[in-house]
Amino acid sequence: MVFQHYVGALLVLLMITAVGIYSGKKVTNAADFSTGGRSAGAGIVAGSLIGTLVGGASTIGTAQLAFNYGFSAWWFTMGGGIGLIVMALSFAKPLYRSGTSTIAQIFEREYGRKVAITAALLMSIGTFLSITSQLLSGISLITSVSEISSPAAVSLIVFLMLVYVVFGGVWGAGMVGIVKTILLYLAAVSCGIVSLQLSGGWTTLRTVLPESTYFNLFARGLWKDGGACLSLIFGVLTTQSYIQAIVSAKSLKDAQLGAVAAGVLTPAIGIAGIFVGMYMRMAEPGLSPVAAMPVFILRHLPPLWGGIILAALLAALIGTGAGLALGMSSMLCGDIIKPRCKTPLSDAAFLRVQRLIIVAILASAGLFTFGNMGSVILSWSFMSMGLRGAVAFAPLLFCLYAPGRADRRFVLSAIIAGPLVVLAGNFVLPSEIDPLFPGISVGLLLAAAGAVSSPKDSMKWKN
C-alpha cells in the first residue's frame, strides 16, 4: 500500500465510525438496541441484512473460490439471496407476528425452556465460529496489503466491530449497513468492469479458461455445490441476526420489502468476485487464491480508489462479525442470563449487560485467533451456516406452521442430533457429499416423529 491507499481507507473507516456513533443516539432503551423499537423502515432492514450477510465469504472468499472453480463460487451469495427471499415470502409473517425477538423465545413458547436454552447455546457456538472466521479473514486482508502486525490488525477489527454495533445495536447495524452496501456495490461495479476489460471480455474468458470448470455452477459436483446453496438458505432462515432484522421493522410490509431487496441485491456482489478471481487465474496462475482480490485491487485500481475499496471489504467483514455478535448477545442475554437473575434487571441495566456481552464475545473471538488455531477454525467456520440450520430449521418449521403438534422430547433430540450428524458427516461421508443433507434430514424426521406422538400438554401459540 502507498500513501493514497491509506488516505482512501482512512476516509471510509472514519465515515463508518461516525455513522456508528451517531446511530447510538437513537438508542434510549433495550428495545431500541435489540429490535430498533420496531421502527426500522425497509431500507434499514435491508441494510441490516446485507450488512450482516455480505462479509468475507461473499467478497474475498468468492474471488478465492472463483480462482479455482469460476461460477461455482456464486452459490455463496446466491444461496444467501435465495434464503432472504424465502424468508420474506414465507417466514417473515409468522416471525414478525410472533411478538418475540429471538428464536429461543419462540422455542420456549412452543417446546419449553430446556429446548430453548439448548438451541440458544448450540446456535451460539456456530455463530461464534462465524465471528472468528471474519476476524481471521480480516487479519489476512490487512496483513497481506500492509505492514500492520496480526495483533494490531485484530485490535483494529475488534474496535471497529464494537463501534459498528455496540453503540447503536440494530440501528447501528442497519445504518452502517446502508453505507457499507453503497460502498460495496461501487466496489463491485469497479472491480467487475476493470477485471472484464483487463481479461479481454467475456469471449476471451470462455476461450482461455476450461468451460466445464469455470462456467459450470456445479463444477465441484451437484451434491457439493447444492449443499453449499442449501447451507446458506437454511442458515439465513435460522440465524438470530437475520431474524432480528426482520422483527425490527415498523411493519410487516417493511420487513418483507427489506428482505426481498436484500435478497435481490446480495447475489450481485458475488459476480464481481467471480470475474476478479477468473481474471487473476488468467493473469497470475501461481498466485495464492486467497490473495486474488486484494492483489487485484492494489495492482489494477487507482491508489485512492483502491484504498476506499479495500476499506469497504474490511467494512464487509466488520459488519458481518458485528451483526452476528449482536444476534448472539440477544440470545445469551434475553434467553439465558436475564431469566436466571434473582433480581429483575431494569431496562438500563439490561442494555448495559447486552453491550458488555458484545464486548466479551468480540474480545474472546479476538483472543481465539492467536496461536495455531487459525486453519482449524476457518475450516469449521464454513460449516457454521449448516450447523445453525441443522439445530433450528426443523423445530422452527414446526413452530411456525404446525404449532402444538411436536413432542418437545423429540424436538430436543432433533436439536442435538442434527448438528452432531453434520459434524460426524465431515469425517465419514465422501467429500463430494455435504453433511448438511443428513443433518437436516435427521432433524426433520425426529420432529415429524414428535408430531405423530404429540402429548396433550404441548405448549401452543398462534401466529
Side-chain angles (χ1 to χ4, degrees), residues 198-216:
L198 292 172
S199 65
W202 177 260
T203 303
T204 303
L205 283 173
R206 300 200 67 166
T207 301
V208 175
L209 297 173
E211 185 164 347
S212 61
T213 299
Y214 284 86
F215 297 90
N216 179 7

Side-chain angles (χ1 to χ4, degrees), residues 52 127 130-131 239 241-242 319-329 388:
T52 304
T127 302
S130 285
I131 296 169
T239 296
S241 303
Y242 310 131
T320 298
L324 291 169
L326 174 64
M328 186 174 167
S329 73
R388 281 173 284 184

Side-chain angles (χ1 to χ4, degrees), residues 189-395:
V189 170
S190 300
C191 292
I193 291 174
V194 173
S195 60
L196 273 176
Q197 289 176 339
L198 292 172
S199 65
W202 177 260
T203 303
T204 303
L205 283 173
R206 300 200 67 166
T207 301
V208 175
L209 297 173
E211 185 164 347
S212 61
T213 299
Y214 284 86
F215 297 90
N216 179 7
L217 285 171
F218 298 97
R220 298 185 301 163
L222 177 62
W223 289 99
K224 189 74 172 179
D225 285 318
C229 178
L230 288 177
S231 292
L232 267 294
I233 294 173
F234 289 132
V236 166
L237 294 176
T238 56
T239 296
Q240 174 59 34
S241 303
Y242 310 131
I243 291 175
Q244 205 158 331
I246 293 295
V247 300
S248 71
K250 60 185 177 183
S251 69
L252 175 60
K253 183 179 179 180
D254 283 291
Q256 291 173 321
L257 286 175
V260 169
V264 171
L265 291 171
T266 296
I269 290 287
I271 291 292
I274 290 169
F275 285 142
V276 168
M278 292 168 69
Y279 166 70
M280 295 304 287
R281 177 70 179 197
M282 288 175 50
E284 301 185 50
L287 183 71
S288 173
V290 74
M293 183 165 280
V295 170
F296 173 83
I297 292 169
L298 285 177
R299 294 183 181 174
H300 300 294
L301 295 180
L304 182 65
W305 183 238
I308 290 173
I309 293 179
L310 286 171
L313 293 178
L314 182 60
L317 302 166
I318 291 165
T320 298
L324 291 169
L326 174 64
M328 186 174 167
S329 73
S330 294
M331 284 195 298
L332 293 177
C333 291
D335 304 316
I336 297 177
I337 296 175
K338 186 177 181 179
R340 291 181 175 274
C341 292
K342 295 180 179 180
T343 304
L345 292 175
S346 66
D347 194 69
F350 182 74
L351 180 57
R352 286 195 298 271
V353 170
Q354 189 165 3
R355 282 171 164 159
L356 287 173
I357 290 295
I358 292 175
V359 173
I361 291 169
L362 293 177
S364 299
L367 292 173
F368 209 55
T369 61
F370 292 102
N372 297 319
M373 292 294 292
S375 59
V376 177
I377 295 170
L378 279 174
S379 64
W380 281 69
S381 69
F382 286 115
M383 296 189 299
S384 64
M385 279 283 194
L387 283 173
R388 281 173 284 184
V391 170
F393 179 72

Side-chain angles (χ1 to χ4, degrees), residues 74-105:
W74 202 11
W75 287 117
F76 286 93
T77 50
M78 194 188 301
I82 294 171
L84 290 173
I85 292 174
V86 171
M87 177 176 279
L89 299 180
S90 60
F91 278 36
K93 184 176 179 179
L95 285 171
Y96 189 81
R97 292 184 174 177
S98 70
T100 60
S101 58
T102 69
I103 297 178
Q105 289 172 11

